[in-house]
């Protein structure tokens, strides 16, 4: 395929050497870690059991090693570069204050959602654009795949009221499909076929997304100034929340994302990520080149592609357009799952979608880096069963009393364990260092002591959560050949306590794994309980942790402690106040009387 040239020659050379260096670092690190494990297990020779453990270990390494070097490079960019974003995303910024002639469609994709909250978010975005004097050139499309009649009726009333409210300022359209063929990607494809030709760009949102006017205008200005830019992704951060589970999780994500994304953008360059929301698309090439194929065959990995975003990114890149991310925490927000069960459900949907990429690796015309991105998306989930197989093989060798496990080189094993833990948590560690080194960031995150305590407790939380998720993913993958699949229903966004029966019915495999692991270690040798504790404790406590962290009162307590605090809680940005977030209400934030009172408006409309 004849692709148009995107980079200046010096940019291309720079990216080549960056990628070569990154590849060298990753390969060398994986080889060193594999050698260290081999040294640890070689005391009594390498038999079939040790060989299997080494193979499983290697399968878990790519994401760990890549994450580590992304974090290291990102940290160096943060600390040494005068403009970290510009150094990894060298595109013209454009003029966000200039009124242009481009037409941008804001797409809100929903399915059986909390209609009123979606309307409040969109109303606040429209109000922010209006206050900036920049409504011209923007249209809002509410693209519904709702299949529940009572919710559909509510949608029609609420969005009719929203349309009437903004008549004369910004056009608002509501469309509901009778079915959700193609899921979200099909929803957007339908928009492209109906209205895409009338717009230059599309700003894609999820139902829980919110973006402030400056962030939106910056994206449009950059698209105007860079005609070969096909997709521009923002760094998405979690909104303040009263869910204890979401608070801890998104604090950790906030720590890890900045260094990780800076580092990945440093070597990925124009082959960047697309996460499917809070991003802007150039509509003409997207409509022409990013149509998703139906996957051949039968079963859960055939048919419609679920994880559409990365596929659309590699197709856009194949067409010769850039796909980039702005690794800066702008006013671009989302909500995170409020409890463990919803978090697992979302992860399993991503798992099924990413494993579908197995059928796309040989797609013609893709860049080598694009193929690598699809492969890494697959390995992100296949590493979970590889990790469990590694642990199970070690346990089997010990149970057989064959002597191999007794011959472990303790020094090499301890060095390997410490190295892996450091690499796993490196993105968070380096960002904590950066926060502590900057006074304004320390204050924004609640102070240095709270930053350290919050980071340490979040690391413990992540360590408990990781094996719980690995078991869920492994069982799901094991069920795929037998037709197991995840549905595409509405996400639960409400914070409320989950009952014991529900948690136990969903998490009994994790509980069984954890309790059995503790019992096995106690039977074999009580001293083994301690090294196994990081693996078995989280699963053993999965049910009570799920229940406790889903409770609203626990979330309120977490807010009161000021732990896991986000900058948007320390100084709430004006753009978020119209959303009237429960977390801000709990913190005593005063809300300005901005935005429509949809309950009253809709009741009048229905009457």
């Amino acid at each position: 395929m004849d692709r148009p040239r995107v980079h200046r020659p010096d940019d291309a050379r720079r990216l080549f050497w960056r990628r070569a260096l990154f590849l060298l670092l990753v390969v060398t690190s994986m080889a060193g870690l594999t050698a260290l494990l081999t040294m640890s297990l070689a005391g009594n020779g390498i038999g079939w059991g040790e060989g299997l453990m080494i193979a499983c270990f290697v399968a878990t390494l790519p994401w760990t090693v890549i994450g580590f070097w992304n974090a290291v490079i990102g940290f160096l960019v943060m600390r040494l570069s005068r403009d970290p974003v510009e150094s990894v995303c060298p595109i013209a910024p454009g003029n966000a204050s200039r009124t242009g002639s481009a037409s941008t469609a804001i797409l809100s994709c929903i399915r059986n959602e909390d209609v009123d909250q979606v309307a409040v978010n969109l109303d606040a975005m429209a109000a922010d654009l209006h206050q900036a004097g920049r409504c011209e050139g923007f249209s809002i499309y509410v693209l519904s795949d709702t299949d529940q009649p009572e919710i559909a009726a509510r949608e029609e009333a609420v969005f009719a009221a929203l349309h009437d409210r903004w008549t004369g300022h910004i056009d608002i359209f509501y469309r509901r499909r009778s079915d959700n063929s193609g899921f979200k990607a099909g929803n957007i494809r339908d928009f492209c076929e109906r209205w895409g030709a009338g717009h230059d760009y599309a700003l894609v949102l999820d139902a829980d997304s919110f973006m402030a006017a400056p962030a939106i205008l910056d994206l449009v200005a950059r698209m105007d100034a860079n005609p070969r830019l096909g997709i521009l992704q923002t760094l998405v951060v979690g909104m303040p929340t009263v869910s204890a589970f979401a608070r801890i999780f998104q604090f950790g994500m906030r720590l890890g994302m900045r260094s990780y994304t800076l580092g990945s953008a440093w070597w990925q360059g124009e082959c960047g990520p697309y996460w499917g929301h809070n991003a802007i698309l150039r509509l003409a090439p997207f409509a022409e080149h990013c149509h998703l194929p139906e996957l051949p065959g039968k079963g859960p990995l055939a048919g419609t592609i679920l994880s559409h975003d990365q596929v659309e990114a590699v197709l856009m890149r194949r067409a010769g357009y850039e796909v980039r991310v702005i690794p800066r925490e702008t006013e671009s927000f989302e909500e995170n799952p409020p409890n463990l069960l919803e978090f697992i459900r979302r992860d399993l949907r991503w798992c099924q979608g990413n494993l579908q990429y197995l059928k796309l690796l040989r797609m013609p015309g893709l860049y080598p880096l694009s193929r690598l991105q699809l492969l890494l998306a697959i390995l992100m989930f296949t590493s979970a069963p590889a990790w469990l197989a590694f642990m199970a093989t070690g346990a089997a060798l010990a149970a057989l009393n064959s002597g191999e496990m007794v011959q472990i080189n303790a020094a090499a094993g301890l060095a390997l364990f410490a190295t892996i833990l450091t690499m796993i948590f490196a993105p968070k560690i380096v960002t904590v260092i950066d926060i502590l080194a900057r006074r304004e960031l320390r204050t924004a995150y609640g102070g240095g002591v709270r930053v350290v305590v919050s980071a340490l407790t979040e690391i413990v939380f992540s360590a408990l959560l990781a094996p719980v998720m690995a078991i869920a993913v492994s069982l799901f993958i094991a069920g795929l050949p037998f037709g197991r699949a995840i549905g595409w229903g509405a996400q639960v966004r409400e914070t409320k306590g989950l009952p014991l029966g529900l948690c136990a019915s969903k998490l009994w495999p994790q509980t069984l794994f954890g309790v059995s692991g503790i019992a096995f270690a106690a039977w074999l040798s009580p001293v083994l309980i301690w090294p196994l504790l990081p693996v078995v404790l989280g699963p053993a406590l999965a049910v009570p942790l799920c229940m406790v962290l889903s409770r609203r009162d626990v979330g309120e307590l977490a807010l009161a402690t000021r732990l896991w605090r986000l900058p948007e809680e320390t100084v709430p940005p004006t753009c978020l106040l119209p959303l009237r977030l429960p977390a801000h209400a709990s913190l005593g934030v005063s809300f300005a009387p901005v935005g429509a009172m949809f309950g009253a408006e809709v009741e009048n409309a229905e009457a």
Side-chain angles (χ1 to χ4, degrees), residues 412-428:
L414 184 61
L416 178 64
F417 181 73
T419 302
I420 289 294
L421 281 184
T422 301
M423 296 181 85
I424 288 173
F425 295 113
K428 299 172 184 179

Side-chain angles (χ1 to χ4, degrees), residues 582-606:
H584 283 159
S586 297
L587 291 169
V589 174
S590 298
F591 296 120
V594 180
M597 301 300 294
F598 283 103
E601 289 191 15
V602 173
E603 286 176 6
N604 292 336
E606 290 175 340

Side-chain angles (χ1 to χ4, degrees), residues 102-140:
S103 174
T104 303
I106 299 175
L107 311 183
S108 178
C109 303
I110 63 175
R111 175 173 168 80
N112 299 326
E113 297 287 348
D114 179 346
V115 181
D116 296 286
Q117 187 58 56
V118 174
V120 166
N121 288 7
L122 294 176
D123 182 59
M125 291 175 65
D128 213 25
L129 287 170
H130 184 263
Q131 187 173 3
R134 298 298 301 277
C135 282
E136 183 182 359
F138 289 93
S139 301
I140 295 176

Side-chain angles (χ1 to χ4, degrees), residues 437-497:
R438 301 174 189 261
R439 182 177 179 181
E440 69 280 6
L441 284 180
R442 288 199 308 272
T443 301
Y445 279 92
V449 174
R450 284 192 172 88
V451 168
V452 172
V453 173
S454 297
L456 291 175
T457 51
E458 191 281 329
I459 286 175
V460 173
F461 169 80
S462 297
L464 294 174
L465 183 63
V468 173
M469 298 304 299
I471 294 167
V473 169
S474 299
L475 290 175
F476 182 75
I477 292 176
L480 286 175
F482 304 98
R484 184 179 182 187
I486 195 76
W488 195 274
Q491 296 184 38
V492 174
R493 308 188 193 278
E494 182 182 2
T495 301
K496 63 178 181 180

Side-chain angles (χ1 to χ4, degrees), residues 241-328:
T241 176
V242 292
S243 161
F245 178 88
R247 281 185 63 76
I248 303 172
F249 168 77
Q250 66 190 29
F251 178 82
M253 283 290 293
R254 190 69 169 263
L255 292 184
M257 281 293 287
R258 185 151 56 98
S259 62
Y260 184 98
T261 310
L262 274 169
S264 63
W266 180 84
W267 62 274
Q268 289 183 356
E270 82 291 348
C271 288
Y274 171 44
W275 300 321
H277 59 95
N278 294 53
I280 193 167
L281 317 172
R282 191 175 299 274
L283 271 172
F286 183 86
E288 182 179 356
H289 300 290
C290 297
H291 189 75
L292 300 183
E294 283 286 315
L295 299 180
K298 297 181 179 180
L301 300 185
T304 300
I305 296 174
L306 299 180
S307 296
H308 60 94
D309 37 27
Q310 192 56 48
V311 183
E312 290 165 342
V314 302
L315 292 176
M316 181 69 83
R317 187 70 197 99
R318 184 177 72 172
Y321 289 83
E322 298 184 19
V323 178
R324 290 191 179 270
V325 60
I326 304 178
R328 179 176 55 227

